[in-house]
């Protein structure tokens, strides 16, 4: 295996990168037809400028074109925390409503996320995986990169055949995401529902987005990988032939001497 990535899209900063990726997504959305495979969406700080750029572009569409896109909208998010109500400002459902669903007025139910508030987490995960399978699997998948190499909430160690399921969050991830929880890692939910590498690797096309100096160390590890390594979940993307890595200069910077 020859190493990662198959295609590298490099830009000087996150803003330029998000605008270029938003342009590509816009082209793909223009070509969309009802019944096409759903979009695979991600949350996290990396995605905020991307959704802002995409919303700006889509708001420039003709009213009838945008209405047609929304009428056929179908997306599945990667993951959701367990134990947060849908209305909780820290839930990924709220994140998506604020970043994309609200600004574009996407119809309720078309922008899907796992039900993290269900009492039966395993049942909710199985139902979400089954709903995605009935929709034909992901078409275009957006991914961020966790500082420990996770994608979605697939924490290391992680195998490629794992499906949508309930997962425990590592202390590294709870630390990474503490910002939304008053800076307290202990306040971050200890579990989540995530699509697995099984569903992610079945996507037709994957865009991994990595920006900022805080991701430089984990991106270096990923770029050095020659074989998938369960300790680095993102390295399973080596198995997929249509992966684009979108990285900005701070994320690609060499370590300080
Ligand atoms: C989070 C999410 C991922 C996200 C990643 C990076 O924990 N579960 O889906 O892509 O970690 O987050 P951020 O973009 O905030 O750095």
């Amino acid at each position: 295996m020859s190493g990662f990535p198959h295609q590298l899209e490099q830009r000087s900063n996150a803003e330029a990168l998000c605008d270029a990726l938003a342009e590509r997504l816009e082209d793909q959305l223009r070509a969309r037809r009802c019944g096409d495979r759903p979009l695979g969406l991600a949350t996290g700080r990396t995605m905020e400028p991307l959704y802002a750029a995409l919303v700006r572009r889509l708001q420039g569409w003709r009213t009838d074109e945008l209405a047609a896109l929304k009428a056929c909208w179908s997306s599945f998010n990667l993951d959701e925390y367990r134990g947060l109500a849908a209305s909780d400002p820290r839930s990924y459902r709220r994140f998506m409503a604020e970043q994309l669903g609200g600004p574009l007025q996407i119809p309720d139910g078309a922008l899907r996320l796992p039900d993290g508030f269900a009492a039966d987490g395993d049942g909710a995960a199985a139902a979400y995986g089954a709903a995605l399978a009935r929709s034909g699997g992901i078409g275009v998948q957006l991914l961020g990169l966790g500082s420990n190499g996770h994608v979605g909430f697939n924490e290391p160690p992680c195998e490629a055949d794992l499906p949508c399921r309930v997962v425990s969050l590592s202390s590294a991830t709870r630390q990474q995401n503490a910002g939304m929880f008053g800076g307290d890692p202990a306040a971050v939910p200890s579990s989540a529902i995530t699509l697995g590498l099984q569903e992610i690797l079945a996507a037709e096309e994957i865009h991994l987005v990595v920006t900022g100096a805080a991701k430089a160390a984990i991106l270096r590890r990923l770029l050095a990988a020659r074989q998938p390594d369960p300790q680095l979940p993102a390295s399973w993307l080596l198995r997929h032939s249509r992966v684009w890595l979108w990285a900005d200069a701070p994320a690609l910077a060499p370590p300080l001497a």
Side-chain angles (χ1 to χ4, degrees):
M1 227 171 260
S2 61
F4 193 90
H6 311 291
Q7 290 94 3
L8 174 62
E9 291 282 351
Q10 202 173 332
R11 297 293 186 280
S12 56
N13 56 47
E15 195 190 354
L17 182 144
C18 288
D19 198 51
L21 177 51
E23 184 178 6
R24 182 183 172 118
L25 295 173
E26 182 187 16
D27 288 345
Q28 288 173 321
L29 291 174
R30 265 195 204 288
R32 258 182 100 72
R33 296 290 168 265
C34 275
D36 282 357
R37 282 184 173 214
L39 302 167
L41 300 180
T43 48
R45 290 152 293 185
T46 311
M47 296 296 148
E48 290 182 17
L50 176 60
Y51 292 142
L54 188 60
V55 165
R56 274 196 302 275
R57 286 176 172 276
L58 297 182
Q59 284 175 337
W61 281 21
R62 275 195 351 235
T63 316
D64 59 326
E65 289 174 332
L66 186 55
L69 175 71
K70 291 191 296 185
C72 288
W73 188 274
S74 173
S75 61
F76 281 74
N77 263 75
L78 281 166
D79 48 18
E80 178 60 285
Y81 290 112
R82 288 214 65 214
L84 300 184
S87 59
D88 191 305
R90 303 160 304 180
S91 72
Y92 284 162
R93 184 169 293 278
R94 263 290 285 276
F95 176 99
M96 292 308 296
E98 278 164 16
Q99 305 289 324
L100 204 62
L104 292 178
Q105 296 179 295
I106 294 172
D108 278 354
L111 208 159
R112 277 168 284 195
L113 291 95
D115 180 2
F117 205 50
D120 175 9
D122 293 333
Y128 192 67
L132 174 56
R134 276 197 306 278
S135 300
I138 300 290
V140 175
Q141 176 71 62
L142 297 178
L143 288 179
L145 180 65
S147 49
N148 64 351
H150 72 218
V151 285
F153 271 135
N154 292 281
E155 300 277 46
C158 172
E159 297 297 334
D161 56 356
L162 288 170
C164 185
R165 67 202 184 285
V166 173
V167 288
S168 296
L169 299 181
S170 67
S171 52
T173 291
R174 294 173 82 197
Q175 184 78 51
Q176 177 202 276
N177 291 356
M180 280 294 287
F181 294 84
D184 178 10
V188 178
S190 58
S191 66
I193 295 175
T194 186
L195 292 183
L197 264 303
Q198 186 186 106
E199 290 92 359
I200 293 170
L201 292 174
E204 287 175 335
E205 175 177 319
I206 297 175
H207 297 276
L208 175 65
V209 190
V210 189
T211 56
K215 298 286 172 65
I218 191 66
L219 183 56
R220 268 197 302 280
R221 256 184 81 196
L222 182 60
L223 290 172
R226 290 293 171 272
Q227 298 286 339
D229 174 0
Q231 295 299 337
L232 184 57
S235 67
W236 287 112
L237 299 176
L238 282 163
R239 287 239 178 118
H240 198 289
S241 59
R242 289 178 60 77
V243 178
W244 279 257
L245 169 62
W246 297 78
D248 71 353
L252 285 164
L256 291 174

